[in-house]
Amino acid sequence: MKIINTVREMQNHSDFSRMRERSIALVPTMGFLHEGHLSLMKDGKKRANEVVVSIFVNPTQFGPGEDFTSYPRNLDRDLALCQDAGADVVFTPKDTELYQSAYQTYINLTKLPNHLCGISRPTHFKGVATVVSKLFNIVKPHIAIFGQKDYQQLLVIRQMVCDLNFDIEIIGAPIVREADGLAMSSRNTYLTPEQRKQALCLYNSLNKAQELVNSGVIETAKIIDAAKDIISSQPEAMIDYIRICDPDTLEDVQILDKPVRMVLAVKIGKTRLIDNMMLTIESLNKL
Ligand code: PAF
């Protein structure tokens, strides 16, 4: 497994691979890898000749007062995990390699970031879209794989790829969960054992929502109220948002007459967690 720190070396490597007609899958990460990331790498191995994993805690997607400096980092452990998962290259640049002091170009989407996480984190998606487009130009992948846990991020990237004509296929991989259902996240390590138990309220409320839909409830307000009850019963849980929305535009949906995405962000103590699930209507599937 090759470890590359500079833009020039990464671009040269990819040019050489492309010249030999080797396909490249990019798995962009911020490190502190878990099973979710490893499943993206394994997926990449099946889809392409080479898997490039980027490990970069991107400063521009963190707002003031967020956890950029305390974000968990452990490069040695990450490299060992990448090696085990069969990654071919790890691209791990320094901050100054991607953002020189004269840096001034950012990518802004006009609609998708006006919902959900974009409201509580107003500059987040500008930072994500910017760094991902830079990674696309540096790694030159044929495909790029993102987890569906960051559902809004996935939509933002798909839209950006379409708008800016990147010749890259974007894959949205299923959420990987702990045995009890908690969605895997590098931020789960912030949770105390007591908070870890409480964090299950996100998954429980999504399951309750699907149960209600199965029992015939179609008013999203009722489903959201049930989720609020489950989450508010946890002493350290603070709801940022709970929404049931159109899976493409993220506009709120009032009545379920098509599959929708339920998305939520909840703080457990100081740790902000997100999760989501498609809610499907069995009766519609039978039509
Ligand atoms: O999902 C993440 O880990 C990050 O937002 C990403 C896509 C690597 C960009 O920094």
Side-chain angles (χ1 to χ4, degrees):
M1 186 180 79
K2 218 168 176 176
I3 300 166
I4 298 182
N5 306 112
T6 66
V7 170
R8 173 59 62 220
E9 197 191 339
M10 188 66 242
Q11 285 175 326
N12 287 345
H13 175 92
S14 293
D15 284 345
F16 189 58
S17 296
R18 279 182 165 258
M19 211 176 65
R20 289 182 299 149
E21 300 198 340
R22 284 174 64 75
S23 56
I24 304 171
L26 169 65
V27 177
T29 82
M30 297 208 299
F32 214 74
L33 304 174
H34 50 66
E35 277 298 327
H37 297 113
L38 303 185
S39 77
L40 305 182
M41 293 176 210
K42 285 171 193 155
D43 193 6
K45 285 297 277 183
K46 289 189 204 131
R47 293 174 188 271
N49 299 123
E50 278 187 30
V51 174
V52 177
V53 180
S54 63
I55 298 182
F56 180 67
V57 184
N58 172 38
T60 64
Q61 70 188 74
F62 291 80
E66 290 186 355
D67 56 346
F68 173 63
T69 43
S70 59
Y71 194 84
R73 292 161 170 90
N74 188 338
L75 187 59
D76 290 342
R77 180 177 162 274
D78 286 348
L79 292 176
L81 288 170
C82 289
Q83 175 103 52
D84 287 352
D88 299 277
V89 177
V90 174
F91 175 55
T92 171
K94 287 209 160 64
D95 292 6
T96 47
E97 182 70 13
L98 290 204
Y99 298 107
Q100 278 130 20
S101 55
Y103 193 85
Q104 52 181 306
T105 306
Y106 292 91
I107 293 184
N108 259 315
L109 283 81
T110 52
K111 289 195 186 124
L112 282 170
N114 302 335
H115 301 274
L116 314 176
C117 290
I119 296 171
S120 18
R121 307 182 70 191
T123 56
H124 175 65
F125 290 110
K126 173 178 158 191
V128 169
T130 301
V131 80
V132 170
S133 63
K134 285 167 73 67
L135 290 170
F136 286 172
N137 285 327
I138 297 164
V139 177
K140 309 184 189 195
H142 298 84
I143 66 175
I145 311 177
F146 296 84
Q148 289 178 13
K149 182 176 76 71
D150 297 279
Y151 185 72
Q152 187 174 13
Q153 166 172 287
L154 179 62
L155 292 190
V156 162
I157 289 159
R158 281 194 200 286
Q159 186 68 46
M160 177 185 81
V161 162
C162 174
D163 291 349
L164 298 183
N165 310 102
F166 279 108
D167 187 11
I168 299 173
E169 185 189 354
I170 302 300
I171 310 289
I175 298 176
V176 178
R177 299 182 178 280
E178 303 283 355
D180 62 1
L182 179 68
M184 289 200 183
S185 162
S186 307
R187 290 192 169 96
N188 290 349
T189 73
Y190 295 147
L191 301 168
T192 65
E194 173 50 33
Q195 289 172 341
R196 170 67 185 75
K197 285 185 210 150
Q198 294 185 36
L200 213 51
C201 66
L202 282 89
Y203 183 60
N204 289 343
S205 61
L206 292 169
N207 279 333
K208 177 72 185 176
Q210 184 61 62
E211 254 175 51
L212 288 172
V213 174
N214 293 347
S215 70
V217 178
I218 56 164
E219 300 87 351
T220 56
K222 286 188 186 160
I223 300 170
I224 290 173
D225 280 348
K228 272 185 193 155
D229 287 346
I230 292 175
I231 295 170
S232 315
S233 70
Q234 300 305 315
E236 291 187 74
M238 267 267 290
I239 297 168
D240 178 352
Y241 62 76
I242 305 176
R243 289 270 194 280
I244 295 179
C245 52
D246 179 287
D248 299 321
T249 64
L250 300 180
E251 299 287 347
D252 283 339
V253 170
Q254 318 304 334
I255 295 292
L256 290 186
D257 53 7
K258 58 172 186 181
V260 291
R261 202 94 191 178
M262 179 155 173
V263 281
L264 31 97
V266 175
K267 267 189 157 183
I268 306 288
K270 287 192 176 134
T271 306
R272 187 172 178 282
L273 301 177
I274 56 175
D275 202 346
N276 69 81
M277 195 181 265
M278 204 75 182
L279 298 183
T280 47
I281 310 153
E282 271 171 32
S283 54
L284 281 184
N285 291 342
K286 283 185 199 128
L287 289 179

